[in-house]
Amino acid sequence: MDKLFELWQTTGIYQIELGQLIMILICLVMIYLAIRKGFEPLLLIPIGFGGILANMPVAGMAESGGLLYMFYEVGLLTTVFPLLIFMGVGAMTDFGPMLANPRTLLLGAAAQFGIFGTLLGALALTAWGIPGFEFTMKEAASIAIIGGADGPTSIYVTSQLAPHLLGPIAVAAYAYMALVPMLQPPIMRALTTEKERAITMTQLRVVSKTEKIIFPILLLLLVAMLLPSAAPLVGMLCFGNLMRECGVVERLADTARNALINIVTIALGLAVGSKLNSEAFLQLTTLGILVLGAVAFCAGTAAGVLMAKLMNLLSKQQINPLIGSAGVSAVPMAARVSNKLGLEANSQNFLLMHAMGPNVAGVIGSAVAAGILLNFVG
Amino acid sequence: MDKLFELWQTTGIYQIELGQLIMILICLVMIYLAIRKGFEPLLLIPIGFGGILANMPVAGMAESGGLLYMFYEVGLLTTVFPLLIFMGVGAMTDFGPMLANPRTLLLGAAAQFGIFGTLLGALALTAWGIPGFEFTMKEAASIAIIGGADGPTSIYVTSQLAPHLLGPIAVAAYAYMALVPMLQPPIMRALTTEKERAITMTQLRVVSKTEKIIFPILLLLLVAMLLPSAAPLVGMLCFGNLMRECGVVERLADTARNALINIVTIALGLAVGSKLNSEAFLQLTTLGILVLGAVAFCAGTAAGVLMAKLMNLLSKQQINPLIGSAGVSAVPMAARVSNKLGLEANSQNFLLMHAMGPNVAGVIGSAVAAGILLNFVG
Amino acid sequence: MDKLFELWQTTGIYQIELGQLIMILICLVMIYLAIRKGFEPLLLIPIGFGGILANMPVAGMAESGGLLYMFYEVGLLTTVFPLLIFMGVGAMTDFGPMLANPRTLLLGAAAQFGIFGTLLGALALTAWGIPGFEFTMKEAASIAIIGGADGPTSIYVTSQLAPHLLGPIAVAAYAYMALVPMLQPPIMRALTTEKERAITMTQLRVVSKTEKIIFPILLLLLVAMLLPSAAPLVGMLCFGNLMRECGVVERLADTARNALINIVTIALGLAVGSKLNSEAFLQLTTLGILVLGAVAFCAGTAAGVLMAKLMNLLSKQQINPLIGSAGVSAVPMAARVSNKLGLEANSQNFLLMHAMGPNVAGVIGSAVAAGILLNFVG
Amino acid sequence: MTSSEMLTEGVELMVLGMGSVFAFLIALVFVTNIMSSVLTRFFPEVLPAPKPAPKRAAASASIEPEVIAVIGAAIKQHRARRN
Amino acid sequence: MTSSEMLTEGVELMVLGMGSVFAFLIALVFVTNIMSSVLTRFFPEVLPAPKPAPKRAAASASIEPEVIAVIGAAIKQHRARRN
Amino acid sequence: MTSSEMLTEGVELMVLGMGSVFAFLIALVFVTNIMSSVLTRFFPEVLPAPKPAPKRAAASASIEPEVIAVIGAAIKQHRARRN
Ligand code: NA
Ligand code: NA
Ligand code: NA
């Protein structure tokens, strides 16, 4: 009978706390959205499942010695996982459309206003003492990077500046990336005229193999010279891309963008999930993070579109301002949104390839912004 | 000349001990059986080869700083490897046949009698002082889990309760899994009549995609609520299975059941091999372990068959008792044995899919039993 | 303004040192040669890129906590990476041609004169006080192993004997392997007559599957008995080869020679690159290493060819001395060189398969030589 | 632990263990049955209709095994060349 | 840090941050343009000519989709059997 | 270590090293030869007979290269579309 009572005491029903129950429900919603609505399933399913595992009482998978804890310690706090993901992203990315029209890099730059504007906003709200917004400089910077619309960059920065916020920030980053098709179009429509949206762009020139090979090296050297604190992220992106483009290490590139990135994604997702505990997540600040994240996405989108309009004022080679919003990255969703709205305005207006330029530029832009934040705040 | 003598002193011929020689011979036999007789080669070849490497004098591959030692420390003692294997198994397993006929879960429950009966037996033999059977509670529990007919579960439990017995227990677990086609049929025939063996079963209903997606989550939640100490094992199984069934992370599921599980299998096998040293293996207790392991398999098989017969007594929907033996797991070998004996009795009696139900139920059952043992004994 | 000045102080332009700049240029040349000239790109691209990353100021990727540093500490100093590479090489290697004509093992033995002759040379030059040649015994042994024409063996030995020389030695090893088509032919022509080069060899007998399965086990046992210090390297080679040949673990062999070796190659390359710092590389001794490495390759080539001629004197079954040079390993480049020169002398003289025998024998030979050096010097 | 204590412990563990395993798996049977009936009642899934167009299917069936064989042979041949 | 200091800091960071991002990416635009023009001027790459032999191409085009479909179906069928 | 000691050590190492390498590989030659002769004498392996049915083989040979080409083209086309 003692043993039976002992057994009862070790059941989850006996031991579970309300916070854990709520977190499990949140994770179930996350998994539902990932499966049924297609919300970034590659990350949100491991994160959500990791969250459930982390919130089971007794099992202790997110505590010292547990599997999720080990993934977190070995791969996340060390930044190994996000850097390997960036290498894989590099091995998947075709910088061709951007090289055919390098001016689109400026759109990727403008969209980073989402990051820095949000940083200012977070600090202002904290300064004014609004409830839910009580952030230190490091926390504010980690939250602001959500506006970079780039999951691994967010995780990389947060793991170094404010690891206790990793759960809510990573979830917000991927959730908003999934919401891009809903968040962006209203802003894009509000800031453009029907005529602007119908602008067709000339076909992109063919980019030679050599340009594609030299570009990642050039980018790395420029980062090394100007902004070395962004070098780990940008460096691994360039390494992956060089493997992809150089043509002589296809087997390495293939592994980097398949087996390796998949393994790391599983482990990274579980590690992030391990931080979805109620103490960190069920806070008023989480609401603040979600609000700021949404603001960041919208600000970045708006800045990208407005930059495109500014460029049209200054140059006679017109670009469709719809591709400006793709500068927030969220590859390739944001570019697809640009394409869709372009087709709505003019059924012959295929913007996809044109939007891929600012889209990949946004990846570089937010990695650069991450470097700047780590430099000043870290 | 000094150097030459020094060289001679570092040869294996000079340094090897009898125990090492015997262990190498045992490993060679293991490799032979794996290659020629198809005895679980995926595990027994790495284990056997690891055993040879571990027993070479001077090289020190199983000692601090050696490769096998590192695999053991980093992957096995931490339980990372068996848990990743379970994730891969989840990504391979189709719970469909079980969902079409959930009653077969009871067969998977009954077959765990192999575990608990053997535990009692081991304790009884120890209590009575039979030579070769001198086990502590933790050792007895690790040995009993061999009856779960599930390699990674055995390794997971043993690495936590009695790591010094890892070598013999892992070898016994995989060896008996390989011997299923020889061990089970006599018991199955002895416990069933010709008429029972000829019972045909109605075709399984089609299981919807949604059921398959929800099942792993449901199973995880039930484990979390009722038996959290089984949560790591069952949780990773469910995670792998959700990746498989949800349909939106196919690339992750594919990596989990191919590249990742293969890498882990190689390292796990070598790590287990590193524990095949003569001090641990060439003991009378190893014989005891082998005897108890065989008993455990047979008891589990018998319990599964008898449970099926009991269910036939209580319900009018008849099942063929031959599928009861598949409840020990040993996927898919045990199910094939059921199928083979069914065809012998009735050439139109295809039991394979029906036996897959208890077969995968047995995986869940032994993971649950492992959790119970860890809870009480650990 | 303060912040702006601070920013300027953290730029690479402000912080970079001349040594770093030179190292980056050297790495760029390495990458250029790898891409355009096909110089061992699988290793030299990761090494070169790792070298650039390691020499960027501020980023600190090769310092404690950096990604490259972690790869170096976790994978290279522990010898895990080179051993896993050896396993993959084993899973790729067909020992068939060597088994069909085991005498070719002697060519693989002779070519190791490149290692030991160079060791003597390095010690002699040090003893005579020639500038650029100031090596300790351990350093000399690490350098000499370049003559084994086997990258992972060089890295394995150097990481244990002289890790501070890892950068120049690994680069020299892979560079000379890439230069085999230029270094070997003059020596081969100088040491053979037109008539010798035209010798045709009888077609190799078919080697049975069983021979191929038993060979790696036999080799491992022989190493265990005679030269256990070579056992880790040879053991992992044999393990990979057994997985390849046994036919029952194809999925493991496939992962060992694809996903796993690719992942390890990327990480190993970056880890080696982390040691390409100016303090270790921009030394007169690096020139010494390059000179000795070239000597080692040439000596090995010559010894292989001369051994073949000696064997022709002693036996009536003539072999073409051109296949002797393949004994240095550098698989499969050296065998292709033999084939090319054979065809020049006689357009019907296909030596490729005959040269594969000494070629893979050379891999075994240099692993054995590595064991001997580790035994005496380590 | 004396030997009789050990035996008692073993019996206790067996009863509790088998009891827990059965309790858990019976609970799982119930929960699974409930899930399946809820799903089939409230969220019936439109099962893929059996492949229509028998003519085309028949044609493809007559082609496929051959093509599969050809592909298999091609791959085998390719591998053989590689080795 | 007082709240007004925090705000000042935030404004400063925004100006510096956006400034740096733009400075860096403008530099990248320049460098990329220079690279491209140097390459096209001094190392013109012979682009692959558009596929000739329209007849063969047409023929292959008419075969391929069918073959692809057959292969796809074969794989699907094979997978279905496996499950 | 004095320089002459170093030289002596080097010579010693070379002799011992090359000696060991040769000793080991000669032993390997012997052992391999013994294995092969034991195997061929006591466990002769039935080698796969040369492919019979020349007619069928010829037919398949005439099909395969074409099919391989088609598959290759299909894959290339598929990849091109993806990028
Ligand atoms: Na971005
Ligand atoms: Na089981
Ligand atoms: Na060699």
Side-chain angles (χ1 to χ4, degrees):
Chain A
M1 270 304 97
D2 276 8
K3 277 250 157 79
L4 206 60
F5 183 64
E6 202 185 293
L7 185 61
W8 161 246
Q9 282 182 315
T10 63
T11 60
I13 304 177
Y14 183 90
Q15 294 243 354
I16 202 162
E17 294 159 20
L18 184 66
Q20 295 175 318
L21 212 58
I22 296 174
M23 288 313 300
I24 289 178
L25 284 176
I26 291 174
C27 292
L28 287 174
V29 171
M30 219 184 289
I31 292 173
Y32 172 81
L33 292 173
I35 296 178
R36 275 293 140 110
K37 307 288 172 191
F39 275 26
E40 294 284 331
L42 289 172
L43 262 297
L44 286 185
I45 285 178
I47 290 177
F49 209 95
I52 299 178
L53 293 177
N55 282 287
M56 291 185 309
V58 184
M61 290 187 78
E63 287 153 34
S64 178
L67 183 71
L68 305 192
Y69 179 84
M70 281 185 270
F71 284 165
Y72 175 75
E73 286 281 314
V74 170
L76 229 158
L77 277 189
T78 59
T79 73
V80 170
F81 287 168
L83 290 178
L84 288 179
I85 298 248
F86 243 68
M87 181 175 79
V89 169
M92 286 183 201
T93 302
D94 178 10
F95 283 118
M98 202 194 74
L99 291 174
N101 192 6
R103 288 192 312 150
T104 56
L105 276 163
L106 300 181
L107 301 172
Q112 305 319 316
F113 178 74
I115 293 175
F116 292 101
T118 304
L119 174 59
L120 177 57
L123 293 175
L125 291 167
T126 303
W128 299 334
I130 314 287
F133 300 91
E134 293 135 26
F135 301 113
T136 66
M137 182 61 87
K138 290 189 177 189
E139 290 171 344
S142 300
I143 296 164
I145 211 83
I146 297 175
D150 192 284
T153 303
S154 284
I155 292 170
Y156 178 79
V157 170
T158 308
S159 70
Q160 288 176 272
L161 294 184
H164 58 289
L165 292 183
L166 192 66
I169 288 180
V171 169
Y174 284 104
Y176 287 128
M177 280 163 69
L179 288 171
V180 151
M182 269 155 277
L183 288 173
Q184 288 196 324
I187 300 165
M188 293 159 75
R189 288 204 188 90
L191 295 177
T192 51
T193 64
E194 178 76 32
K195 206 180 131 196
E196 282 172 332
R197 291 199 291 276
I199 294 175
T200 54
M201 293 177 68
T202 51
Q203 215 199 317
L204 293 172
R205 74 171 177 91
V206 177
V207 175
S208 76
K209 202 76 200 141
T210 317
E211 284 173 87
K212 288 189 181 181
I213 295 173
I214 292 180
F215 176 73
I217 297 173
L218 218 55
L219 172 56
L220 175 68
L221 294 180
L222 205 66
V223 164
M225 289 303 112
L226 297 183
L227 209 80
S229 51
L233 270 186
V234 176
M236 293 309 282
L237 183 80
C238 292
F239 180 44
N241 194 247
L242 179 68
M243 290 198 287
R244 170 196 161 93
E245 301 295 355
C246 74
V248 288
V249 293
E250 195 44 48
R251 59 181 292 161
L252 300 186
D254 187 58
T255 295
R257 73 176 154 246
N258 290 303
L260 183 52
I261 204 176
N262 291 343
I263 292 171
V264 174
T265 299
I266 291 172
L268 176 84
L270 292 176
V272 169
S274 80
K275 293 285 129 179
L276 290 180
N277 48 61
S278 56
E279 299 87 60
F281 208 90
L282 299 180
Q283 301 288 340
L284 204 54
T285 48
T286 298
L287 267 181
I289 290 171
L290 289 173
V291 169
L292 286 169
V295 169
F297 260 71
C298 298
T301 303
V305 174
L306 292 175
M307 183 70 194
K309 294 180 68 160
L310 179 66
M311 283 164 70
N312 277 351
L313 282 181
L314 300 179
S315 153
K316 69 170 190 265
Q317 202 188 334
Q318 298 290 293
I319 60 179
N320 189 316
L322 288 175
I323 70 169
S325 61
V328 299
S329 51
V331 185
M333 208 100 69
R336 282 195 203 136
V337 169
S338 302
N339 190 54
K340 188 160 160 273
L341 266 72
L343 285 172
E344 278 173 19
N346 172 351
S347 66
Q348 295 304 308
N349 195 7
F350 298 99
L351 294 176
L352 189 65
M353 287 318 283
H354 297 285
M356 286 308 293
N359 214 189
V360 297
V363 176
I364 298 172
S366 47
V368 165
I372 292 166
L373 285 179
L374 285 172
N375 195 353
F376 282 131
V377 178
Chain B
M1 269 304 97
D2 275 9
K3 276 252 158 77
L4 206 60
F5 183 64
E6 202 184 291
L7 185 62
W8 161 246
Q9 281 182 315
T10 64
T11 60
I13 304 176
Y14 183 91
Q15 296 244 353
I16 203 162
E17 293 159 20
L18 184 65
Q20 294 174 320
L21 211 59
I22 296 174
M23 287 313 299
I24 289 178
L25 284 176
I26 291 174
C27 292
L28 287 174
V29 171
M30 219 184 290
I31 292 173
Y32 172 81
L33 291 173
I35 296 178
R36 275 293 139 111
K37 306 288 174 193
F39 275 26
E40 294 283 330
L42 288 173
L43 262 298
L44 285 186
I45 284 178
I47 291 177
F49 210 95
I52 299 179
L53 293 177
N55 282 287
M56 292 185 308
V58 183
M61 289 187 78
E63 288 152 34
S64 178
L67 183 71
L68 305 190
Y69 180 84
M70 282 185 271
F71 284 165
Y72 177 75
E73 286 280 314
V74 170
L76 230 158
L77 277 190
T78 60
T79 72
V80 171
F81 287 168
L83 291 179
L84 289 179
I85 298 247
F86 244 68
M87 182 175 77
V89 169
M92 285 182 203
T93 301
D94 178 11
F95 283 117
M98 202 194 73
L99 292 174
N101 193 6
R103 288 192 313 150
T104 55
L105 276 163
L106 300 181
L107 301 172
Q112 306 318 316
F113 177 74
I115 293 176
F116 293 101
T118 305
L119 175 58
L120 178 56
L123 292 175
L125 291 167
T126 303
W128 299 333
I130 314 288
F133 300 90
E134 293 134 26
F135 301 113
T136 67
M137 182 60 86
K138 291 190 177 189
E139 290 170 344
S142 301
I143 295 165
I145 211 82
I146 296 175
D150 192 284
T153 303
S154 285
I155 291 170
Y156 178 80
V157 170
T158 309
S159 69
Q160 289 176 271
L161 294 184
H164 58 290
L165 293 183
L166 193 66
I169 288 181
V171 169
Y174 284 104
Y176 287 127
M177 281 163 69
L179 288 171
V180 152
M182 268 155 278
L183 288 173
Q184 290 196 322
I187 300 166
M188 293 159 74
R189 288 203 188 91
L191 295 176
T192 52
T193 64
E194 178 77 32
K195 205 178 131 197
E196 283 172 332
R197 290 200 291 277
I199 295 175
T200 54
M201 294 177 68
T202 52
Q203 215 200 316
L204 293 172
R205 73 172 178 91
V206 176
V207 174
S208 75
K209 202 75 202 141
T210 317
E211 284 172 87
K212 289 189 181 180
I213 295 174
I214 291 178
F215 176 73
I217 297 174
L218 219 55
L219 172 55
L220 176 67
L221 294 180
L222 205 66
V223 164
M225 289 303 112
L226 298 182
L227 209 80
S229 51
L233 270 186
V234 176
M236 292 310 282
L237 183 80
C238 292
F239 179 44
N241 194 247
L242 179 68
M243 290 198 287
R244 171 196 162 94
E245 301 295 355
C246 73
V248 288
V249 293
E250 195 43 49
R251 59 180 292 161
L252 299 186
D254 186 58
T255 295
R257 72 175 154 248
N258 289 304
L260 183 53
I261 205 176
N262 291 344
I263 292 171
V264 174
T265 300
I266 291 172
L268 176 84
L270 292 176
V272 170
S274 79
K275 293 284 128 179
L276 291 181
N277 48 61
S278 56
E279 299 88 59
F281 209 90
L282 299 181
Q283 301 289 339
L284 203 53
T285 48
T286 297
L287 266 181
I289 291 171
L290 289 173
V291 169
L292 286 169
V295 169
F297 260 71
C298 298
T301 303
V305 174
L306 293 174
M307 181 72 195
K309 294 180 69 161
L310 180 66
M311 283 164 69
N312 278 351
L313 283 181
L314 301 178
S315 153
K316 67 170 190 264
Q317 203 189 333
Q318 297 291 292
I319 59 179
N320 190 316
L322 287 176
I323 70 169
S325 61
V328 299
S329 52
V331 185
M333 208 99 67
R336 282 194 203 136
V337 169
S338 302
N339 190 55
K340 186 159 160 276
L341 266 73
L343 286 173
E344 278 173 20
N346 171 351
S347 67
Q348 295 304 309
N349 195 6
F350 299 99
L351 294 175
L352 189 63
M353 287 318 282
H354 298 284
M356 285 309 294
N359 214 189
V360 297
V363 177
I364 298 172
S366 47
V368 166
I372 292 165
L373 285 179
L374 286 172
N375 195 354
F376 283 130
V377 178
Chain C
M1 270 306 97
D2 275 9
K3 278 248 156 81
L4 206 60
F5 183 64
E6 203 184 292
L7 186 62
W8 161 245
Q9 281 181 317
T10 63
T11 59
I13 304 177
Y14 181 91
Q15 296 243 352
I16 203 163
E17 293 159 20
L18 184 65
Q20 294 174 318
L21 212 57
I22 296 174
M23 288 312 300
I24 289 178
L25 284 176
I26 291 173
C27 291
L28 287 174
V29 170
M30 221 183 288
I31 292 173
Y32 172 82
L33 291 173
I35 296 178
R36 276 293 139 111
K37 306 288 172 192
F39 275 26
E40 294 284 329
L42 288 172
L43 262 297
L44 285 186
I45 284 178
I47 291 177
F49 209 95
I52 299 180
L53 293 177
N55 281 287
M56 291 186 308
V58 183
M61 290 186 80
E63 288 152 35
S64 178
L67 183 71
L68 304 192
Y69 180 84
M70 282 185 269
F71 284 164
Y72 176 76
E73 285 280 314
V74 170
L76 229 159
L77 277 191
T78 59
T79 72
V80 171
F81 286 168
L83 291 178
L84 289 179
I85 298 246
F86 243 67
M87 181 175 78
V89 168
M92 285 183 202
T93 301
D94 178 11
F95 284 118
M98 201 194 75
L99 292 173
N101 192 5
R103 289 192 311 150
T104 55
L105 276 163
L106 300 182
L107 301 172
Q112 306 318 316
F113 177 73
I115 293 176
F116 294 100
T118 305
L119 175 58
L120 177 57
L123 293 176
L125 291 167
T126 302
W128 298 334
I130 313 288
F133 299 91
E134 293 134 26
F135 302 114
T136 67
M137 182 60 87
K138 290 190 179 190
E139 290 170 344
S142 302
I143 296 165
I145 211 82
I146 297 175
D150 193 285
T153 303
S154 284
I155 292 171
Y156 179 79
V157 170
T158 309
S159 70
Q160 288 176 270
L161 294 184
H164 58 289
L165 293 184
L166 193 65
I169 288 181
V171 169
Y174 284 105
Y176 288 126
M177 280 164 69
L179 288 171
V180 151
M182 269 155 278
L183 288 173
Q184 288 196 323
I187 300 165
M188 293 159 73
R189 288 204 188 89
L191 295 177
T192 52
T193 64
E194 178 77 31
K195 204 177 134 200
E196 282 172 334
R197 290 199 292 276
I199 295 175
T200 55
M201 294 177 69
T202 52
Q203 217 200 313
L204 293 172
R205 73 173 177 89
V206 177
V207 174
S208 76
K209 202 76 201 139
T210 316
E211 284 173 86
K212 288 190 181 180
I213 295 174
I214 292 179
F215 176 72
I217 296 173
L218 217 55
L219 172 55
L220 176 68
L221 294 179
L222 205 65
V223 165
M225 289 305 112
L226 297 182
L227 208 80
S229 51
L233 270 186
V234 176
M236 292 310 281
L237 183 81
C238 292
F239 180 44
N241 194 246
L242 180 68
M243 290 198 289
R244 170 197 162 94
E245 300 295 354
C246 73
V248 288
V249 293
E250 195 44 49
R251 58 181 292 161
L252 300 187
D254 186 58
T255 294
R257 73 176 154 246
N258 289 304
L260 183 52
I261 204 177
N262 290 343
I263 292 171
V264 174
T265 300
I266 291 173
L268 175 84
L270 292 176
V272 170
S274 80
K275 293 284 129 180
L276 290 181
N277 48 61
S278 55
E279 299 87 60
F281 208 90
L282 300 181
Q283 302 287 339
L284 203 54
T285 48
T286 298
L287 266 181
I289 291 172
L290 289 173
V291 168
L292 286 169
V295 169
F297 260 70
C298 298
T301 302
V305 174
L306 293 174
M307 182 72 194
K309 295 180 69 160
L310 179 66
M311 284 164 68
N312 277 351
L313 283 182
L314 300 178
S315 154
K316 68 169 191 265
Q317 203 188 333
Q318 297 292 293
I319 60 179
N320 189 317
L322 288 176
I323 71 170
S325 61
V328 299
S329 52
V331 185
M333 208 99 68
R336 282 196 203 134
V337 168
S338 302
N339 189 55
K340 188 159 159 273
L341 266 71
L343 285 172
E344 279 173 18
N346 171 351
S347 66
Q348 294 305 308
N349 194 8
F350 298 100
L351 294 175
L352 189 65
M353 287 318 282
H354 297 284
M356 284 310 293
N359 214 190
V360 298
V363 176
I364 298 171
S366 46
V368 166
I372 292 165
L373 284 179
L374 285 172
N375 195 354
F376 283 130
V377 178
Chain D
M1 213 180 326
T2 68
S3 61
S4 80
E5 276 172 13
M6 219 170 184
L7 271 179
T8 323
E9 183 93 350
V11 173
E12 215 175 278
L13 262 180
M14 194 182 80
V15 174
L16 266 180
M18 283 308 285
S20 305
V21 167
F22 265 103
F24 181 84
L25 289 180
I26 288 172
L28 187 57
V29 172
F30 271 97
V31 170
T32 307
N33 277 329
I34 292 169
M35 172 199 58
S36 290
S37 49
V38 167
L39 279 181
T40 40
R41 182 164 317 173
F42 298 106
F43 309 95
E45 201 162 88
V46 182
L47 289 176
K51 286 166 208 151
K55 209 171 172 183
R56 173 83 191 105
S60 88
S62 73
I63 289 169
E64 273 169 22
E66 197 180 317
V67 173
I68 294 167
V70 169
I71 293 171
I75 289 164
K76 203 174 281 175
Q77 186 178 319
H78 176 66
R79 281 203 187 129
R81 266 187 220 137
R82 238 188 0 188
N83 287 339
Chain E
M1 213 180 329
T2 70
S3 60
S4 78
E5 275 172 14
M6 219 169 183
L7 272 179
T8 322
E9 184 94 349
V11 173
E12 215 175 277
L13 263 180
M14 195 181 80
V15 174
L16 267 180
M18 284 308 286
S20 305
V21 167
F22 265 103
F24 182 83
L25 289 181
I26 288 173
L28 187 58
V29 172
F30 271 97
V31 170
T32 307
N33 276 330
I34 291 169
M35 170 197 61
S36 292
S37 49
V38 167
L39 281 181
T40 40
R41 183 165 314 173
F42 299 105
F43 308 95
E45 202 162 86
V46 182
L47 290 175
K51 287 167 205 150
K55 210 171 173 182
R56 173 82 191 108
S60 87
S62 74
I63 289 170
E64 274 169 22
E66 198 179 316
V67 174
I68 295 168
V70 169
I71 294 172
I75 289 165
K76 203 175 278 174
Q77 187 178 318
H78 177 65
R79 283 205 185 128
R81 265 187 220 137
R82 238 189 358 189
N83 288 338
Chain F
M1 213 179 329
T2 68
S3 59
S4 80
E5 275 172 14
M6 218 168 185
L7 272 180
T8 323
E9 183 94 349
V11 173
E12 214 175 278
L13 262 179
M14 195 181 80
V15 174
L16 266 178
M18 284 307 287
S20 305
V21 167
F22 265 103
F24 181 84
L25 289 181
I26 288 172
L28 187 57
V29 172
F30 271 97
V31 169
T32 306
N33 277 329
I34 291 169
M35 171 197 61
S36 290
S37 50
V38 167
L39 280 181
T40 40
R41 181 165 316 174
F42 299 105
F43 308 95
E45 200 162 89
V46 182
L47 287 176
K51 286 168 206 149
K55 209 169 171 182
R56 173 82 191 107
S60 87
S62 72
I63 289 169
E64 274 169 22
E66 197 179 317
V67 173
I68 294 168
V70 169
I71 293 171
I75 289 165
K76 204 175 279 174
Q77 186 177 319
H78 177 64
R79 282 204 185 128
R81 265 187 219 137
R82 235 188 2 187
N83 287 339

